[in-house]
Amino acid sequence: MRASLASSIGVTCAALLALPFVLPDEVPAPRQQLAGSQADTLSGSTRSLPLTPRGAGAPGSDRAARPAGRADLNSPDVEPFSLVGVVWDDPRAVLDGRVQVRTRAADTGRWSPWLDLDAHPADAADPDAAEGRAHGSTAPLWVGASNGVEARVRPAGGGSRSLPAGLRLDLVDPGPDPLRPRSPVPDLELPELTKAGAELQAEAETGTANPYVGPRPRIVLRKGWGADENLKEKGYVYTKTVKAAFVHHSATGNGYSCSQSASVLRSIYRYHVKSSGWRDFGYNFAVDKCGNIYEGRAGGVAKPVMGAHTLGFNTDSTGIAVLGTFGSTNPSDAAVDAVAKLTAWKLGLHGADPQGATYLTSGGSNLYKKGANVRLNVISGHRDGFSTECPGQLLYSRLGDLRWQAGQLQGR
């Protein structure tokens, strides 16, 4: 947690900016409390910079509820943050336009080029799911330790279209990494299991022998990456089974090192809960560029936990996000191999063939109306259930090989 933002915040003539605020449950800790053993008790912070687009009225006015035009923000002096995203009130409202940010690195003082945020990520809870109070949001962007930010939102149609109400820029500080022991600890990670070991464990838990469970890969549990369990809603939501796995990219950019993966995950987690308004981390699993696999949404890695990853198809599925953006950048072989290992095990637990097809009932998306019985590959890309760029063309093109590899690991 951080001290309050510096009082000298510049704003361009294109926008009116209220003073930044800290979300009510996040009281910034004094700087002197950040040192020593107390540091590992802190879980980061979220700060919002409200944007009032040009053409909007004062807060509380009728005109303010119908913002139009463009929105700009210039905040040269803010407390450190590492991830940024744009949020608005109504999750059904569409931000039809281009959203860009540039940030100043805390260590060098250099400003980044203008970077695009995905305004249509389509990672979302189903409308009738128990997901708290959802908001509209762009995909978050990992920018590393930064202390200055500028943002610009340009509506499509030359500025003639309205922007969503309640537009704001959220800055996320992931907090410090948890202290890790030198040797594996059971509540921090699950070790690998051979195929025979995974089959025996599955049989012990279900009472049914299944010859097609893949080896269980090493999985870093939530405590291992420092998830603050006080952020999420209490309890878990389960579906009946896992018939399909949807592969995503996080769209958070590729400018992270594997030593920063835990910080990226804590930032996404906080953004999903505090900014997007979901009950927990949206994806069931995450995979970094080094092939490390992480537990995402809580509830048990072997269980059919309902996520918030593929609008319309969160029931009877699992969502796996590869950290990065893969429209024009290739995913690492280590990441693709890790997804194959994870799906061979996870889908095998529920009797699903990675090389096969299945049917899911749509909860409603921009591709399939609610109630439609949709035939999908057991391992599908996000774009197969919703019209989106996710998981990026260069990751999507690897799914065929990934399905084959997962099938081999299951012994098919």
Side-chain angles (χ1 to χ4, degrees):
M1 300 187 183
R2 305 287 183 178
S4 59
L5 291 174
S7 59
S8 57
I9 296 179
V11 185
T12 67
C13 61
L16 300 174
L17 175 64
L19 287 177
F21 61 90
V22 181
L23 295 181
D25 64 330
E26 298 161 8
V27 179
R31 284 188 179 273
Q32 62 266 26
Q33 294 184 5
L34 295 177
S37 61
Q38 297 185 38
D40 61 356
T41 68
L42 302 179
S43 60
S45 64
T46 301
R47 297 177 182 275
S48 292
L49 304 176
L51 287 164
T52 304
R54 177 187 290 178
S61 69
D62 290 340
R63 194 177 179 193
R66 301 185 299 274
R70 66 189 225 179
D72 294 328
L73 168 70
N74 176 18
S75 293
D77 294 300
V78 296
E79 286 293 315
F81 64 95
S82 295
L83 180 138
V84 61
V86 170
V87 183
W88 54 95
D89 292 341
D90 187 353
R92 298 166 298 179
V94 176
L95 202 171
D96 189 7
R98 188 176 189 184
V99 183
Q100 292 181 305
V101 297
R102 72 184 195 115
T103 58
R104 185 180 61 203
D107 56 351
T108 66
R110 295 177 182 173
W111 285 87
S112 72
W114 285 101
L115 304 169
D116 287 295
L117 275 65
D118 184 356
H120 310 286
D123 298 330
D126 293 339
D128 55 354
E131 282 294 327
R133 184 181 178 186
H135 305 126
S137 56
T138 67
L141 181 68
W142 174 263
V143 294
S146 304
N147 57 14
V149 62
E150 294 182 358
R152 59 191 186 192
V153 182
R154 299 292 182 266
S160 61
R161 300 184 184 179
S162 295
L163 293 173
L167 205 65
R168 56 197 180 273
L169 188 73
D170 274 14
L171 308 178
V172 179
D173 170 20
D177 285 328
L179 297 175
R180 294 293 301 268
R182 293 173 180 258
S183 58
V185 176
D187 61 350
L188 297 185
E189 64 180 56
L190 291 179
E192 294 179 340
L193 282 180
T194 64
K195 185 176 186 336
E199 289 173 356
L200 285 174
Q201 185 179 62
E203 183 177 358
E205 293 178 355
T206 65
T208 303
N210 184 347
Y212 296 119
V213 179
R216 186 182 71 189
R218 171 180 170 269
I219 302 173
V220 179
L221 300 177
R222 288 167 63 91
K223 189 172 182 179
W225 52 265
D228 181 354
E229 302 300 351
N230 292 318
L231 286 180
K232 70 176 185 64
E233 292 186 11
K234 294 181 180 179
Y236 314 109
V237 178
Y238 296 100
T239 63
K240 293 180 179 180
T241 187
V242 176
K243 298 168 67 176
F246 285 97
V247 178
H248 303 251
H249 64 181
S250 63
T252 47
N254 303 308
Y256 73 96
S257 65
C258 292
S259 64
Q260 294 175 313
S261 295
S263 293
V264 175
L265 290 170
R266 291 196 305 277
S267 297
I268 295 173
Y269 173 40
R270 177 169 282 277
Y271 186 81
H272 282 177
V273 174
K274 292 298 183 182
S275 300
S276 299
W278 301 342
R279 63 178 295 113
D280 192 357
F281 196 91
Y283 309 110
N284 299 96
F285 298 93
V287 175
D288 70 17
K289 63 177 66 175
C290 290
N292 296 304
I293 300 170
Y294 302 89
E295 178 186 16
R297 179 160 291 208
V301 293
K303 295 181 179 180
V305 179
M306 175 178 274
H309 51 83
T310 306
L311 182 62
F313 294 98
N314 290 306
T315 298
D316 294 342
S317 71
T318 192
I320 303 167
V322 181
L323 300 181
T325 306
F326 304 110
S328 58
T329 300
N330 282 304
S332 68
D333 290 339
V336 174
D337 290 346
V339 176
K341 293 175 183 177
L342 176 59
T343 52
W345 172 73
K346 178 71 174 182
L347 292 170
L349 292 176
H350 299 273
D353 180 355
Q355 300 176 86
T358 191
Y359 285 88
L360 295 177
T361 301
S362 172
S365 76
N366 61 1
L367 283 181
Y368 302 102
K369 66 181 181 179
K370 186 175 182 178
N373 194 30
V374 181
R375 188 177 189 272
L376 293 162
N377 287 316
V378 169
I379 298 180
S380 286
H382 186 182
R383 63 174 64 180
D384 295 319
F386 195 98
S387 181
T388 174
E389 291 297 315
C390 184
Q393 181 56 39
L394 295 182
L395 176 54
Y396 188 77
S397 66
R398 300 289 298 275
L399 295 189
D401 291 339
L402 190 155
R403 294 182 189 109
W404 179 87
Q405 185 179 352
Q408 293 295 299
L409 288 167
Q410 283 190 352
R412 295 183 186 271

